[in-house]
Amino acid sequence: MATAERAPEQLAPPPPPPERAMGFAERAVAAAGAAVVSAVLVNPLDVAKTRLQAQAAGVVYNPIWSDFRCYPWCNPGGLKLSGLGPSCSPECFQYRGTMDVFSKISRQEGFFRLWRGTGASLALAVPTVGIYLPSYDLLRNWIEEYSDRSYPKLRPYAPLIAGSIARSLACITCSPIELARTRMQAFKQSSGGAKPPGMWKTMLGVLSSRQSISHPENLQTARGYHLLWTGMGAQLARDVPFSAICWMVLEPTRRHFWGLLIGEESNAAVILGANFSAGFIAGVISSGATCPLDVAKTRRQIEKDPARVLNMNTRRILLEVWRNEGINGLFRGAGPRMARAGPSVGIVVSSYEVVKHIMHRKHAEL
């Protein structure tokens, strides 16, 4: 009897009850608000990650324009340009790490260039997360209910299946915006003082690239708006495993942290803490594990050679990087990617759950 009386105390408490009565639209509003906060806060890390990966892919960050001269803080080297003083040493434009990217972009291009692509990030994050999180929620709930009725062994895999399907839907829908954002973050302005192209001009530039394809047999293949989905395969190859790993780590971790808060009232602060901690851990692990796929996605989307655009795929890119750069090339940008994904996932998931909690409470009071 003593064992039976102690049994309830040994069981880990369940997570807070999901707001299953909430509709897709309400969940989408909660997710979109969380996405805005995350996109603005972590965009500099995304720029750093993209610049490091693009540099490794051959993008040159040593522009020459009419007023080109060496910066006062940089050691000059090379030839002297007539009337302009010595040219900069190549090292002045080479990024050595995340903090070096921050420093050089701030000095060479201006501090606010660290938020280059934020508009595209917002345009991407709001619909992506607005589709992704509500779809995950509803699919996970449906799979868990189905497994409870018919197939109990399926329940542990509900986060993996729901996360993979939901992420696929979001990626396919928002791939053109992701393409524009990657190009905006990877490339610098081409001439002094010129305003860099925005999201729409970048997308139009992708479409116009089909005109440069010289081979007639490829012209029909390249014609059309499907070029806006360039790199979608690489993006799916990155984001679907990322999502699957993320939710498989996040759900049990969230339950564990919720168990540590036993005795605490289920309020917004408790929900925020448990979800942010679990999301941070899940984001770091899943982003590190899928970094090679992110490298492939970036290279696929910044490629401007029309012939390579038509023939590249994720497997070929990974083999090419492995042969030329080894393991370091496959994990190029892993530091800023993990530094970005941890707080990003934590902010999005915790904000989403808190807004859901508040909305649910208001509905219950009516």
Side-chain angles (χ1 to χ4, degrees):
M1 289 295 293
T3 302
E5 290 176 356
R6 287 195 302 268
E9 299 178 359
Q10 297 171 354
L11 296 175
E19 295 80 7
R20 296 183 184 241
M22 291 179 65
F24 185 91
E26 293 173 307
R27 295 172 190 268
V29 170
V36 170
V37 176
S38 174
V40 173
L41 290 179
V42 302
N43 195 78
L45 289 166
D46 207 32
V47 171
K49 181 267 296 181
T50 303
R51 287 286 181 98
L52 289 170
Q53 292 179 350
Q55 176 179 263
V59 175
V60 178
Y61 293 110
N62 187 9
I64 298 179
W65 50 71
S66 59
D67 62 347
F68 177 71
R69 56 175 57 86
C70 200
Y71 295 96
W73 51 269
C74 186
N75 292 325
L79 299 175
K80 290 189 176 183
L81 302 179
S82 178
L84 295 177
S87 64
C88 282
S89 171
E91 288 77 15
C92 295
F93 296 96
Q94 292 294 308
Y95 301 128
R96 296 186 179 87
T98 303
M99 299 309 297
D100 194 42
V101 174
F102 290 162
S103 174
K104 285 178 177 173
I105 288 180
S106 298
R107 293 184 177 189
Q108 295 172 3
E109 305 172 53
F111 178 73
F112 290 104
R113 285 280 289 181
L114 291 171
W115 276 266
R116 171 76 170 142
T118 299
S121 294
L122 290 172
L124 174 68
V126 172
T128 298
V129 179
I131 294 169
Y132 175 46
L133 286 181
S135 297
Y136 169 78
D137 256 1
L138 297 173
L139 284 168
R140 183 202 60 202
N141 293 344
W142 181 84
I143 294 170
E144 288 178 346
E145 290 171 358
Y146 171 79
S147 63
D148 290 342
R149 292 194 311 267
S150 308
Y151 198 67
K153 292 182 179 180
L154 180 64
R155 186 180 178 92
Y157 301 100
L160 185 151
I161 299 170
S164 299
I165 296 174
R167 194 67 188 181
S168 298
L169 292 173
C171 284
I172 293 170
T173 303
C174 303
S175 184
I177 305 174
E178 170 68 20
L179 172 63
R181 182 184 68 150
T182 299
R183 292 199 170 203
M184 289 169 69
Q185 292 177 340
F187 301 118
K188 298 171 78 168
Q189 57 203 50
S190 58
S191 60
K195 184 178 180 180
M199 184 179 68
W200 295 113
K201 286 188 177 180
T202 302
M203 293 171 71
L204 290 174
V206 173
L207 289 175
S208 66
S209 67
R210 73 180 186 271
Q211 299 174 358
S212 63
I213 297 179
S214 57
H215 302 288
E217 64 273 17
N218 291 334
L219 187 59
Q220 185 64 33
T221 305
R223 184 181 288 120
Y225 290 99
H226 80 274
L227 284 177
L228 291 175
W229 277 263
T230 298
M232 187 185 70
Q235 186 181 352
L236 286 169
R238 177 199 68 174
D239 284 3
V240 172
F242 174 90
S243 183
I245 296 170
C246 183
W247 288 111
M248 287 297 289
V249 173
L250 192 148
E251 292 288 2
T253 306
R254 176 161 56 186
R255 288 184 173 87
H256 173 73
F257 281 119
W258 190 259
L260 295 178
L261 297 173
I262 186 171
E264 298 285 344
E265 182 184 356
S266 177
N267 55 33
V270 171
I271 293 173
L272 178 69
N275 282 280
F276 180 83
S277 301
F280 187 95
I281 293 170
V284 169
I285 293 174
S286 53
S287 61
T290 58
C291 188
L293 298 170
D294 184 60
V295 170
K297 192 273 302 182
T298 299
R299 295 203 177 194
R300 182 78 173 88
Q301 293 185 326
I302 67 174
E303 182 59 56
K304 289 188 173 182
D305 182 350
R308 281 178 60 84
V309 167
L310 293 174
N311 295 313
M312 291 172 74
N313 59 44
T314 301
R315 183 181 64 83
R316 289 176 182 173
I317 296 172
L318 290 175
L319 288 175
E320 183 180 278
V321 174
W322 172 259
R323 286 196 300 265
N324 297 335
E325 303 172 49
I327 192 71
N328 289 336
L330 291 175
F331 285 88
R332 187 83 58 190
R337 174 169 162 78
M338 294 168 70
R340 174 196 181 281
S344 179
V345 175
I347 291 169
V348 169
V349 173
S350 59
S351 301
Y352 175 62
E353 293 296 334
V354 168
V355 174
K356 275 172 54 183
H357 173 75
I358 294 172
M359 293 175 68
H360 178 68
R361 290 283 298 272
K362 287 186 177 180
H363 279 302
E365 292 172 358
L366 293 178

